[in-house]
Amino acid sequence: CGTGLPDPETPLGHLRIKIDVHPYSSGGPHKNLILSYLHAPRSGAAVVTWRDINKDAKDYVAEENNDKVLNFEGVLRLVSRIKMLIKGPPLVMRPPYSIATMVWLYLACFWTSAPQVPWMMLALMGIEGASLFIRRDLSETLIWESEVQKKEKKGILELGGVLKKGLRLIGAYQYKLSLIVSALERAKNSISFADTLGSVMLYAALAFLCLVASILISIMPVGLPWFLVGAGALLPPYVKLYKLYMGHSKICNAEKRKNPDFFDRFKMSALSLAENFLNHLPDQYELAHRHICDSQIIV
């Protein structure tokens, strides 16, 4: 559908852009660029936060803005994005990419020891990411008209209070679903080098975790991993009883939220870092926007 921009009425002439990069701290611009992926983004196609996904839909009804009112065109876009996410099996199971998967399967079954299992899982993820990278085609990028020319839907906003409240409530669920779809798209693009630096950082972090896992597997007894899995499945009821015995009532939980312990702070910090990193990766809208920007010619 083109670039989504109106054609200029007169020639715009030539444009020269000069960009100077200055590091704002020690380590140079490359270190700062890497660290920026762990900080909250200032803008994005659809910034995803776990707090918004977990927020009660009724809380959105009381908001003054009208961006979360039910939008039928938005529903169509969501259906289209969901179809793209769940379209067919993973690429590692489709020819010709499944040839690499067959080689991986042979190595995993006959040549892999227990400490090497994490590396084989990382290799399988890499095969899927490489397949997504090769298969990606942005030449037929879709631009929805409402994304180019946003107009206020007076027909909806002038409806009666009860009907408008219902549309807001349904629109809140639509908004939350769009955040979930955006998060899944970003996770999928994280392994396919849609954002090169982000994918390199992800694979480097996973390689470090694989190294740690390999060392732990090599020094621990063979049956310990299975014991931990089984214990993890059996322990939750006893943990709940322990909390009741220790007096973890609703009041105690409220006090705990005000004064979180080390594990709560670690969990919140890890979720925040993962959330910030995910928001620096492109979803479908951001990927289309980057493709459009790359296709512009500046003389």
Side-chain angles (χ1 to χ4, degrees), residues 188-204:
K188 180 180 178 180
N189 291 330
S190 66
I191 66 173
S192 63
F193 290 89
D195 184 282
T196 304
L197 180 58
S199 296
V200 169
M201 291 176 60
L202 175 65
Y203 280 111

Side-chain angles (χ1 to χ4, degrees), residues 247-292:
H248 283 250
S249 61
K250 293 183 177 180
I251 299 177
C252 295
N253 289 333
E255 292 295 330
K256 187 178 180 182
R257 284 194 294 268
K258 293 181 180 178
N259 301 303
D261 56 19
F262 170 77
F263 295 101
D264 290 330
R265 290 195 299 270
F266 177 79
K267 179 181 177 181
M268 292 166 57
S269 178
L271 285 176
S272 178
L273 288 176
E275 175 183 289
N276 295 336
F277 176 75
L278 198 65
N279 280 324
H280 282 82
L281 301 175
D283 59 0
Q284 183 186 5
Y285 285 163
E286 181 64 23
L287 201 61
H289 175 73
R290 295 185 184 187
H291 170 68
I292 292 171

Side-chain angles (χ1 to χ4, degrees), residues 28-48:
H30 300 292
K31 176 183 176 182
N32 296 329
L33 181 60
I34 293 175
L35 292 178
S36 69
Y37 275 71
L38 304 180
H39 296 87
R42 296 172 180 261
S43 63
V47 176
V48 181

